[in-house]
Amino acid sequence: MHSINLKPSILLFLVLTYFLFPKLNLISITNFNLRVQDYISVLILIFIIPEILINRKTLFLFLIFFSIQFLIGFFYNELLGLVFVTRLIQYILIGYSIFLIINSDFRKVFFYLLFTFIVLSSILQYLLLIPNFDPGRGLIYSRQFSGPFSTSAELSYFMISVLFFFFSIGLVARSLFAILIFSNGVIFAPLIYFSISLKRIILLIPRTIIILLPYLFLIALAAYFIDYEILLSRITDPQYEDNTQLQKGKSLNLINVEGPLSFLFRINKFLDILVYMTSNPLIFFLGCGYGCGMGAVDSGIVRILLEFGIFVPLFLMYSKIIPKYFLACFLGVNLLFDGFWSSQVAPMLFAAVFYIYKLRIESLRHK
């Protein structure tokens, strides 16, 4: 462990404030909102710039990737597309600041303070003593607590991400945590958490299966709740004329369809995204840029296809840069939630990337 330079206590305070301060929209620009967190991010950036260690090869790859993303973003969404890509860079830098903290003497302090605030606020929300705060819906008094975050799903997948990557807990503790998030109304989250936490089994599964399984799972659920012929007919003959624009939620009439309503709405979005991609070959291969989904897609793995194209899953199948277990955790968090686009969850995912990379480098040095 090494101490962080440049006033570590201030960096700790800023990162905690970023996560625990309510998402207050200060300035709205079309589909993009500037929040308090964005201004805090600027202060964090000032602190961590001297701490960023990156070799030339990695820097070169980053520059190529983001140059392509800026071009794609501008092509499909003009200036708004550039802003979305900037937000992706923001999440990466916040993730790096978390990485600095958890590799310092402030690791325990960071997690203790974070968990304490989350637990206390969640209890008070459950008791209806304080409201949940959602920037889209305002103040909401509900037993479906979300702590300092916008929704109960964001809270659940944030905690899952932290436990996946930075803690090792036993079967009893995993079970208790799964019951807790199940009681909060996020039905699939505990199932995802409990299944992927079985690390030894995950490591036996081939990388290709790990990547394909989430997509097959979504297809199987869709086919179970909605007749296969109806699904196929909506893909080949969508219920709208303009396939060059992304339509979310127009393919299906869900009035007479039985099943969990939230998942049926997801299927509706997935179908429209599939129609949009197959109607636009360039988007099918390269995507339309980070953030082009415009609002919730309700599945990060579907959103990856939309915004980065089929190339990314294919790359992950044949590249061993990302460890299998991290890949399984990442896909699990993004199965039915836009984790890679959440201002709370995405930085934790990037912090895990930096953390795993550090552990790999250290293991290579000891060999």
Side-chain angles (χ1 to χ4, degrees):
M1 292 290 183
H2 62 278
S3 297
I4 309 172
N5 297 320
L6 300 175
K7 302 178 182 178
S9 56
I10 296 178
L11 180 60
L12 174 69
F13 172 77
L14 289 173
V15 173
L16 285 171
T17 305
Y18 172 89
F19 281 107
L20 302 178
F21 200 86
K23 292 182 182 179
L24 297 175
N25 293 334
L26 300 180
I27 301 174
S28 295
I29 307 171
T30 315
N31 292 308
F32 188 88
N33 295 307
L34 284 175
R35 298 169 177 162
V36 173
Q37 279 79 2
D38 296 315
Y39 296 97
I40 296 172
S41 298
V42 174
L43 296 176
I44 291 173
L45 176 60
I46 294 171
F47 273 86
I48 68 171
I49 281 179
E51 292 289 320
I52 295 175
L53 300 175
I54 186 169
N55 59 49
R56 291 183 180 181
K57 182 180 178 181
T58 304
L59 179 61
F60 179 71
L61 293 174
F62 265 102
L63 289 174
I64 291 177
F65 173 77
F66 282 107
S67 295
I68 294 172
Q69 280 297 299
F70 276 119
L71 288 172
I72 293 174
F74 183 76
F75 182 78
Y76 287 106
N77 295 297
E78 299 179 341
L79 291 177
L80 188 59
L82 303 183
V83 174
F84 281 131
V85 178
T86 303
R87 175 143 285 177
L88 174 60
I89 297 173
Q90 172 191 356
Y91 294 161
I92 293 173
L93 293 173
I94 297 298
Y96 193 80
S97 68
I98 299 168
F99 165 75
L100 290 175
I101 290 173
I102 63 178
N103 282 283
S104 74
D105 297 332
F106 285 84
R107 176 191 175 103
K108 289 184 178 179
V109 175
F110 172 68
F111 283 121
Y112 285 159
L113 290 175
L114 188 67
F115 292 163
T116 299
F117 192 94
I118 288 173
V119 169
L120 287 177
S121 59
S122 297
I123 291 173
L124 292 174
Q125 288 168 349
Y126 183 78
L127 296 174
L128 305 180
L129 296 176
I130 63 172
N132 298 271
F133 180 80
D134 186 324
R137 297 178 296 168
L139 299 178
I140 303 168
Y141 284 90
S142 170
R143 294 191 186 279
Q144 201 169 353
F145 54 88
S146 61
F149 304 145
S150 299
T151 64
S152 56
E154 189 169 48
L155 171 62
S156 296
Y157 287 106
F158 174 85
M159 292 301 298
I160 285 174
S161 300
V162 173
L163 293 178
F164 270 158
F165 301 119
F166 304 115
F167 288 88
S168 178
I169 59 178
L171 180 62
V172 174
R174 289 203 303 268
S175 303
L176 290 174
F177 177 71
I179 292 171
L180 178 63
I181 55 179
F182 181 82
S183 66
N184 196 26
V186 188
I187 299 173
F188 282 100
L191 300 176
I192 292 168
Y193 169 72
F194 203 80
S195 59
I196 296 178
S197 64
L198 303 174
K199 186 173 181 178
R200 292 182 180 179
I201 297 176
I202 295 294
L203 293 176
L204 296 175
I205 302 175
R207 177 180 293 268
T208 301
I209 300 299
I210 289 175
I211 295 168
L212 291 179
L213 198 58
Y215 294 100
L216 295 174
F217 176 76
L218 291 181
I219 293 171
L221 280 178
Y224 176 80
F225 289 114
I226 300 174
D227 186 83
Y228 175 76
E229 292 184 358
I230 294 177
L231 289 173
L232 189 60
S233 67
R234 291 299 181 267
I235 294 172
T236 55
D237 183 23
Q239 302 300 295
Y240 45 83
E241 295 180 0
D242 188 4
N243 295 339
T244 62
Q245 298 293 322
L246 177 61
Q247 310 286 340
K248 292 192 297 184
K250 292 188 177 182
S251 287
L252 294 171
N253 182 356
L254 299 176
I255 296 175
N256 298 318
V257 180
E258 296 183 359
L261 194 59
S262 63
F263 183 72
L264 292 175
F265 277 121
R266 282 177 167 85
I267 295 174
N268 213 352
K269 290 182 181 180
F270 302 166
L271 283 175
D272 288 324
I273 288 171
L274 183 58
V275 169
Y276 179 59
M277 291 181 66
T278 53
S279 302
N280 299 273
L282 193 59
I283 291 175
F284 182 83
F285 288 104
L286 297 177
C288 52
Y290 185 86
C292 73
M294 299 294 181
V297 171
D298 296 326
S299 173
I301 65 169
V302 173
R303 195 160 185 168
I304 286 170
L305 288 177
L306 170 66
E307 300 187 2
F308 298 100
I310 195 71
F311 171 77
V312 169
L314 291 175
F315 171 78
L316 294 176
M317 284 183 189
Y318 298 103
S319 171
K320 296 184 179 180
I321 294 175
I322 300 176
K324 277 202 303 184
Y325 186 65
F326 172 84
L327 192 58
C329 296
F330 176 84
L331 294 173
V333 168
N334 282 280
L335 180 63
L336 294 171
F337 177 71
D338 297 357
F340 195 55
W341 292 260
S342 162
S343 60
Q344 312 290 5
V345 179
M348 276 296 168
L349 296 177
F350 285 117
V353 171
F354 293 120
Y355 187 66
I356 290 168
Y357 178 74
K358 172 182 175 288
L359 293 178
R360 173 170 286 188
I361 295 297
E362 289 178 351
S363 66
L364 292 174
R365 287 175 180 171
H366 290 306
K367 286 184 179 180

